[in-house]
Amino acid sequence: MGYRSSRSLRFAVPLALALAACGGGSPPPGRVYAIDRPPPPRVEIAGATPGVGWVWIPGHYRSDRAGYIWDTGHWDRVPRGRRRWQPGHWAHSRQGWYWTEGRWR
């Protein structure tokens, strides 16, 4: 019996150390993938612009452990030296669905 327990420990300890070195559940750098296709975007009413030089940034779904959560759109001031907002979008690859953030151009 002592032989089996020491033999099990010989494999269990290095495995536990390797798992601990992996970061303990921190998200991987770069893209975060979702398995399920995101829902279609909601229709939002932007309302009146706060003033000249403001642009409506549409809302989008973001992936969460529980599923998809809607991030509501908002008005944003156009940064100096930029002209237009390029909206973010969902894209698909072999690993699943991933979100590409929008940006100013």
Side-chain angles (χ1 to χ4, degrees):
M1 183 137 191
Y3 173 73
R4 283 190 182 169
S5 62
S6 66
R7 183 176 170 187
S8 297
L9 283 175
R10 189 173 73 198
F11 293 107
V13 171
L15 177 62
L17 291 173
L19 289 173
C22 289
S26 61
R31 293 181 180 152
V32 177
Y33 291 92
I35 296 171
D36 298 326
R37 174 189 280 271
R42 292 183 182 180
V43 175
E44 293 183 305
I45 299 173
T49 179
V52 176
W54 289 79
V55 172
W56 175 254
I57 309 293
H60 66 276
Y61 280 100
R62 64 179 164 86
S63 179
D64 187 83
R65 290 180 189 220
Y68 286 98
I69 296 173
W70 181 255
D71 278 342
T72 305
H74 62 278
W75 287 99
D76 199 5
R77 187 180 292 274
V78 178
R80 175 169 281 202
R82 304 297 179 181
R83 295 186 179 222
R84 70 179 184 90
W85 174 254
Q86 180 179 342
H89 64 276
W90 280 96
H92 188 261
S93 71
R94 291 182 188 183
Q95 290 85 5
W97 291 91
Y98 62 93
W99 175 253
T100 300
E101 289 291 336
R103 62 188 177 133
W104 289 101
R105 296 186 95 14

